[in-house]
Amino acid sequence: MAVPVGILTVSDKCSRGEAADTSGPALQRLLEEADGGASWAVAARQVVPDSAALIAETVRAWCGGGPGAGACGLVVVTGGTGISASDVTVQALEPLFTKRLGALATAMVVGSLRITPLAALSQVTAGVVGSTVVLAVPGSRKGAVENVQQILGVLPHAVDTARAVGGTRALHAADGAPARPAGGAAAPGQGQRRAVCGCARPDEGPGGPAPGLGGGVARRARRSPYEMIPVQAALELVLAHVALQPAEEVPLAQLRAGQVLAADVAMQEDVPGYPASVMDGYAVVAADGPGVYPVCAASAAGAGERRPLRPGEVARVATGAPVPPGADAVVMVEDTELAASTQAGDEELRVRILDGAQIAPGQNIRPVGFDLERGAVVARAGTVITAAGGEIGALATSGNRAFRVHRMPAVAVMSTGDEVTDTLGADPPAALPFGAIRDCNRPALLAALAALGCPAVDLGVVRDDPELLAGAIRGALATCQGVVTTGGVSMGERDWLKPVVEQRLGGTIHFGRVAMKPSKPTTFATVPGGQFVFALPGNPVSALVAFHMFVAPGLRKAAGHHLLLGSAAAAAAADPAAALGVLRPSVDAVFEGAEIALDRVRPEYVRGALAWDHAAARWVVRVADRRQQSSRMASMRGANALVSLPVGTDARPTVASGSRLTAIIIGAPHF
């Protein structure tokens, strides 16, 4: 049974309606999506001003000391934890604590300090009020979520322990699993929410993290030590730890789609640099009007200066050609006729401007600087260069020889597994030995990286050997900003990627499981020096879905795709929805097709075909292939979107045609 939670937002502005509460909803989403929605249920959410009395009154009521939720197992207070005079949350809560949970508060601070040094200025605190665990976290949406994420894995056991009746012995068995009283009933306060309490040390036997490398299959972990975190939390960890790449100067010929300008680009000259004809025709003096005139000259595109045009003359001009001095209008060819030519008939001598011709000063002439004036900004910092060519074309007109762009992160790609056969090698086998499979992960990921514009290094297929894996990754990180691997991240006896990253490379695994289907074992880590490792599942669909859900947004962030949203400080403080619209674009679409049964534990991301319905003026999405198994790469054929399906409930066990769903765009939609 899920534990009831109270979330209290402390903010003068939010309480007066002058600002929107973003932290409360973000915390609710984080908790209710944890463990597939099995652990927590928000029973109360409220906003109060920065008043110690109101804070204390509300928390006391939610912890069972007054009217309100009254039975919350967990209360999270967000806001009022800073160092200004108006920040009174900690002073309001700590007198209520019957026990202080200093280690929980320390864990939140230490974890947050890995992300930002500003965490040192927060007065987070934790304690028990009655039998309720109470946390105080920062008021910013990002800070609130990050702090709770640091301790999310131990919170369930903390709540069970605080609510235990007659001591905590009943919560534990000798092997670290929850004990069961006589008759098989759950321990008090325990319910059916978790299989292990999580308080055993890593070196205390079954249930702990994976043993050291070379420990033998008998010592492997029987349960994953990695908390299964929500998709949104995983994505936020990726974006927090993948750094924006530094800027560099590159010539026009080296600009590539996917790069982002690191500085404004100003015009070095006027475009056009001379009065230019808009069309093929004749330069004239507008005051002359219709009539027959001698053709004194011709001006072709690229031609040099001509003598001034005198009244009573016309000059032939081509589209884009300079208009001679003295002319103030251009008459198009269609408004003229030949009056006389040379004897050979190959050159005009005189032309007639027809009576119906429209002639006015400035007609059909682009003046100097009409397109772009010298000094004007042709492209702002943060502009993404696209494959459509418009940005490069505009930059080419600027007169600049080089441009500052953020470096595209170079990424190495490798597949792992003794059974995997290289399909990109010089001589792939015509027939496979029994038990072997062809590598489709690496070719697919290399193609996806090319579409993003990222330089890629192909590491080939690496066998399931810790030293080989460590050597390949270490070598790649000498020249690349990151590595993407597939395979070796689940619970198999030869799944070495996670211990290799931690024990051989000194890396930090920020998450090792995500509450999603497919791609649950997706792993993200950073190593000393700030480079990243994405260890994706070996099942082909799982690998490609995880790439589009986490790797692609991280690479776009590294390249600076979010920078046009505003300054770095503003982007950090803003709700991430705008950034995600750039880093992982999605649309609201109407699902069309046969009913789909919803998974009851994890949200699912099925492969879909997204198209614009012109008649209904809306996006529609259909499942690209009804057979959606994670091993079946064929289900990705024709897919340009991942359709986000919610966790199923008794009230909503399926998704029917006509439902509105989020479609995450992974390829060009159909129009």
Side-chain angles (χ1 to χ4, degrees):
M1 180 178 178
V3 170
V5 180
I7 298 176
L8 181 65
T9 299
V10 178
S11 167
D12 284 336
K13 286 188 175 181
C14 290
S15 68
R16 293 193 299 261
E18 297 173 1
D21 175 18
T22 58
S23 301
L27 287 170
Q28 179 171 353
R29 184 167 59 248
L30 171 69
L31 291 167
E32 291 188 337
E33 290 180 359
D35 295 328
S39 289
W40 313 101
V42 173
R45 216 181 80 203
Q46 189 172 331
V47 178
V48 298
D50 290 287
S51 163
L54 284 175
I55 296 168
E57 178 185 341
T58 306
V59 171
R60 191 183 296 110
W62 288 358
C63 295
C72 288
L74 173 68
V75 171
V76 184
V77 184
T78 170
T81 60
I83 58 176
S84 71
S86 62
D87 291 321
V88 295
T89 295
V90 173
Q91 291 85 340
L93 292 180
E94 291 191 337
L96 305 179
F97 290 165
T98 52
K99 289 183 182 294
R100 293 176 183 268
L101 302 178
L104 275 185
T106 299
M108 290 193 287
V109 172
V110 170
S112 295
L113 282 171
R114 297 193 190 103
I115 301 170
T116 171
L118 295 178
L121 301 180
S122 179
Q123 299 185 83
V124 299
T125 190
V128 178
V129 178
S131 60
T132 300
V133 174
V134 178
L135 311 175
V137 297
S140 74
R141 181 208 57 78
K142 190 169 183 291
V145 169
E146 283 175 354
N147 273 261
V148 176
Q149 281 174 338
Q150 309 308 318
I151 59 171
L152 196 54
V154 300
L155 270 181
H157 191 55
V159 169
D160 285 343
T161 303
R163 303 173 84 186
V165 178
T168 61
R169 185 182 183 91
L171 294 179
H172 309 91
D175 64 354
R180 299 289 177 185
Q190 180 78 3
Q192 302 294 328
R193 294 185 298 109
R194 290 171 299 281
V196 293
C197 68
C199 64
R201 289 172 52 89
D203 56 357
E204 289 180 338
L213 293 167
V217 67
R219 294 182 58 195
R220 67 172 170 172
R222 302 288 168 172
R223 307 178 185 94
S224 174
Y226 297 97
E227 175 195 355
M228 189 162 63
I229 68 172
V231 170
Q232 180 69 17
L235 182 57
E236 290 183 4
L237 283 169
V238 169
L239 299 182
H241 290 282
V242 173
L244 176 67
Q245 292 295 295
E248 59 185 357
E249 292 268 347
V250 300
L252 180 70
Q254 294 181 17
L255 291 179
R256 295 291 182 267
Q259 290 178 312
V260 177
L261 292 177
D264 292 352
V265 177
M267 293 295 298
Q268 300 302 305
E269 57 201 22
D270 292 316
V271 177
Y274 52 83
S277 177
V278 174
M279 56 184 58
D280 298 328
Y282 297 87
V284 302
V285 176
D288 286 346
V292 177
Y293 300 98
V295 180
C296 68
S299 178
E305 295 234 2
R306 297 293 181 184
R307 71 168 177 81
L309 187 73
R310 294 187 289 265
E313 297 177 333
V314 299
R316 191 168 62 250
V317 292
T319 300
V323 175
D328 61 358
V330 170
V331 176
M332 61 182 178
V333 172
E334 292 85 343
D335 285 338
T336 69
E337 63 183 21
L338 181 64
S341 64
T342 59
Q343 187 172 3
D346 58 356
E347 187 61 60
E348 299 172 332
L349 295 177
R350 293 186 298 279
V351 296
R352 176 178 287 106
I353 308 298
L354 300 178
D355 290 341
Q358 299 295 316
I359 310 173
Q363 177 179 293
N364 297 327
I365 296 176
R366 286 188 300 147
V368 172
F370 178 81
D371 293 347
L372 287 165
E373 294 181 339
R374 180 185 178 92
V377 174
V378 66
R380 295 285 182 191
T383 297
V384 179
I385 296 171
T386 70
E391 293 79 24
I392 289 180
L395 296 176
T397 69
S398 69
N400 292 280
R401 300 181 63 182
F403 305 88
R404 286 191 66 76
V405 296
H406 290 283
R407 186 181 303 153
M408 292 292 294
V411 179
V413 180
M414 74 179 188
S415 294
T416 71
D418 296 340
E419 77 284 13
V420 180
T421 300
D422 192 354
T423 52
L424 297 177
D427 188 22
L432 293 176
F434 181 77
I437 59 173
R438 297 190 190 275
D439 180 18
C440 61
N441 290 351
R442 217 168 83 256
L445 293 174
L446 288 169
L449 285 169
L452 291 175
C454 284
V457 175
D458 185 359
L459 300 179
V461 178
V462 181
R463 291 193 297 110
D464 288 319
D465 178 280
E467 298 308 320
L468 292 177
L469 294 168
I473 296 174
R474 188 181 294 113
L477 292 177
T479 57
C480 295
Q481 282 71 55
V483 175
V484 177
T485 72
T486 65
V489 292
S490 191
M491 299 293 291
E493 61 184 273
R494 300 182 67 78
D495 285 342
W496 298 119
L497 257 300
K498 288 168 179 168
V500 161
V501 168
E502 287 185 316
Q503 299 172 35
R504 291 287 191 269
L505 305 176
T508 299
I509 292 180
H510 299 288
F511 59 82
R513 291 194 305 159
V514 185
M516 63 185 297
K517 180 182 179 181
S519 313
K520 182 176 73 173
T522 298
T523 299
F524 169 65
T526 52
V527 298
Q531 295 134 306
F532 55 82
V533 177
F534 285 97
L536 310 183
N539 269 331
V541 173
S542 297
L544 208 48
V545 168
F547 177 89
H548 289 294
M549 291 293 291
F550 304 112
V551 184
L555 295 178
R556 291 189 185 104
K557 191 249 181 167
H561 282 226
H562 61 299
L563 294 180
L564 269 185
L565 297 174
S567 67
D575 186 272
L580 282 183
V582 173
L583 303 178
R584 199 187 65 189
S586 64
V587 297
D588 184 48
V590 175
F591 169 64
E592 291 185 351
E595 189 173 64
I596 299 178
L598 296 175
D599 190 273
R600 292 301 187 99
V601 177
R602 290 172 285 160
E604 187 171 2
Y605 297 86
V606 301
R607 282 64 73 197
L610 179 67
W612 180 254
D613 183 340
H614 291 274
R618 65 185 185 184
W619 291 106
V620 296
V621 66
R622 302 174 181 86
V623 174
D625 190 310
R626 298 301 298 184
R627 296 170 61 190
Q628 291 278 313
Q629 292 87 349
S630 61
S631 61
R632 190 169 183 269
M633 182 61 99
S635 70
M636 294 293 301
R637 292 175 303 182
N640 57 16
L642 300 177
V643 187
S644 177
L645 302 181
V647 174
T649 63
D650 290 340
R652 192 188 186 189
T654 63
V655 164
S657 185
S659 301
R660 301 196 74 87
L661 299 170
T662 297
I664 297 166
I665 300 171
I666 64 174
H670 303 300
F671 288 96

